[in-house]
Amino acid sequence: MTIRKPARRLGLIGKLTLALALAGGSIAAAPSGVQAADGPYWRGPAPTEASVTATTGPFRVTEARITGARGFGGGRIYYPTDTSQGTFGAVAISPGFTAYWSSLDWLGPRLASQGFVVIGIETNTTLDQPAQRGDQLLAALDWAVSSSPAASRIDRNRLAVAGHSMGGGGTLEATLDRPSLKAAIPLAPWNLTKSWTRQRVPTVIIGGSSDTIAPVSSHSEPFYTSLGSPEKAYLELRGGSHFFPQTPDDNVAKVMISWLKRFVDEDTRYSQFLCPGPGGLGISEYRNTCPI
């Protein structure tokens, strides 16, 4: 497939350098101790391979049961206790068919400790289909920014969705209903709809090569290929079954954290973990639209 590469934008120093070069002049290098200013949404220290695969990030986390939910079935919310760095982005995550949030709950503290508010939802019924789960993901985000104990800590303009299986299919549905979302992460997604050309939200799909319930050949791969977003990636875990999201996994965590950091927090420090992307024996395939 053709990979689209977004044009790079020159920063102020780059423009000055170009102008001086054209004029036959020169520009002195910045002192070695000077670094580019942090972005307005960057949270936490500069990342390393160790930090994006660590089971606990730099932020302490508070966890609470969700009460008074409207439009979804409750669940749990996780959020950083730090109030000194401004607001955080938020991500709502849905479990799969017949499953409960407890099947994915390792993701709550792991993502929250990296500087996100995480809403792990219970669905209205465990038999809800993708479109219903998409609606519930959006209802959970609406609750989080208006009524949750973390409401004052959330930037309502920096929201994302994720989910497993039918929750992954619901993740794709939510991006169509709310294109203002900053990121989406379907995990072993299942959906009868195969084409997502109208979708414009930056999306990384993670599938398992040994998935027999939502085989990548008929789900994750065609979903990825059809995505209309110019910023997308596809990670396939070697030997991963349909239930790989239910077990803590460093490759899954690294890509999820990096994708949320890059597109929810606009933190380009994390691009290094997405471009060229993860490799090794545990990965059977990785595709992307780098540079991002």
Side-chain angles (χ1 to χ4, degrees), residues 14-251:
K15 292 177 180 177
L16 288 172
T17 303
L18 178 60
L20 286 169
L22 292 174
S26 61
I27 186 168
S32 59
V34 175
Q35 296 181 349
D38 291 351
Y41 309 126
W42 294 12
R43 303 289 182 264
T48 64
E49 179 71 21
S51 74
V52 294
T53 56
T55 57
T56 303
F59 293 93
R60 295 183 62 183
V61 173
T62 294
E63 175 184 347
R65 185 171 66 89
I66 295 173
T67 58
R70 298 184 62 181
F72 66 109
R76 300 195 75 81
I77 185 169
Y78 311 77
Y79 53 94
T81 59
D82 192 330
T83 59
S84 68
Q85 298 195 39
T87 54
F88 298 94
V91 56
I93 307 177
S94 169
F97 191 62
T98 73
Y100 298 91
W101 169 244
S102 59
S103 66
L104 302 175
D105 62 3
W106 69 277
L107 288 169
R110 192 145 177 178
L111 297 180
S113 69
Q114 294 285 347
F116 297 101
V117 176
V118 180
I119 309 98
I121 76 168
E122 302 290 5
T123 50
N124 289 330
T125 79
T126 59
L127 305 181
D128 288 336
Q129 299 298 299
Q132 296 168 308
R133 290 168 190 265
D135 290 342
Q136 291 167 57
L137 284 168
L138 297 180
L141 289 175
D142 292 341
W143 169 83
V145 301
S146 62
S147 305
S148 78
S152 64
R153 302 166 192 253
I154 300 173
D155 182 343
R156 64 177 57 241
N157 295 312
R158 295 191 293 119
L159 305 177
V161 286
H164 173 219
S165 190
M166 282 199 179
T171 297
L172 292 169
E173 299 279 355
T175 64
L176 293 185
D177 293 338
R178 191 170 296 179
S180 62
L181 291 168
K182 298 301 183 184
I185 310 176
L187 306 170
W190 187 98
N191 199 307
L192 292 176
T193 300
K194 304 304 177 185
S195 178
W196 301 90
T197 56
R198 294 190 297 112
Q199 200 265 17
R200 293 293 183 271
V201 175
T203 299
V204 57
I205 295 176
I206 306 178
S209 65
S210 297
D211 189 337
T212 58
I213 295 175
V216 294
S217 61
S218 58
H219 289 76
S220 293
E221 289 181 327
F223 295 167
Y224 169 79
T225 301
S226 71
L227 286 173
S229 173
E231 294 154 330
K232 61 183 181 179
Y234 170 64
L235 173 67
E236 185 175 300
L237 302 178
R238 188 182 306 278
S241 76
H242 186 66
F243 302 102
F244 74 80
Q246 297 181 357
T247 301
D249 183 278
D250 287 350
N251 283 316

